[in-house]
Amino acid sequence: MRKHMSPPEAKLWNLLRREPFDTFHFRRQVPMGPYYGDFVSHRARLVIEVDGASHTADSAIAHDARRTTYLEAHGYRVRRFTTLDIFGSLDGVAATILAELEIEQSPPIPPP
């Protein structure tokens, strides 16, 4: 497990520790089977990944796809953001995460 966060991870972590995200109890560098999730809310069943330049190589793309498949098979949703997303539009990242959390909180649709 990495002890030091990259600058984009630190920026996102600061966001996730504030309201309204703090009620979902995000944790960082969470072991999940053979993988680690960058930021995980078990309550919302949401994994947030921060992808830097190293994630554009074919081998990294394949690895990320296997990780996503594994996590989704275990009931988690995975959302990925690039470092450019975080530095270029943190408000947009926040809105996307909030939308994911609202999906989790919305009541089920009653049957007809």
Side-chain angles (χ1 to χ4, degrees):
M1 220 175 359
R2 294 182 321 188
K3 292 184 181 190
H4 301 287
M5 289 184 276
S6 67
E9 288 172 331
K11 190 168 187 161
L12 184 57
W13 181 235
N14 286 332
L15 175 76
L16 294 174
R17 294 187 321 172
R18 296 192 314 249
E19 288 185 2
F21 305 102
D22 61 336
T23 60
F24 291 92
H25 306 286
F26 279 93
R27 296 172 46 213
R28 66 178 210 83
Q29 293 299 315
V30 178
M32 303 184 80
Y35 303 105
Y36 282 86
D38 287 342
F39 303 99
V40 178
S41 169
H42 292 297
R43 178 177 171 206
R45 310 282 297 169
L46 179 62
V47 177
I48 299 173
E49 293 291 316
V50 177
D51 294 346
S54 65
H55 289 262
T56 59
D58 289 343
S59 61
I61 292 169
H63 181 266
D64 288 344
R66 285 191 301 274
R67 178 190 336 210
T68 297
T69 299
Y70 176 88
L71 295 171
E72 288 176 344
H74 287 83
Y76 285 83
R77 291 169 291 134
V78 179
R79 293 300 169 256
R80 296 183 173 283
F81 298 99
T82 66
T83 56
L84 294 175
D85 294 332
I86 293 167
F87 285 126
S89 179
L90 189 60
D91 289 341
V93 169
T96 300
I97 295 169
L98 280 175
E100 285 294 327
L101 296 172
E102 288 175 5
I103 290 169
E104 184 65 25
Q105 290 182 329
S106 61
I109 299 169

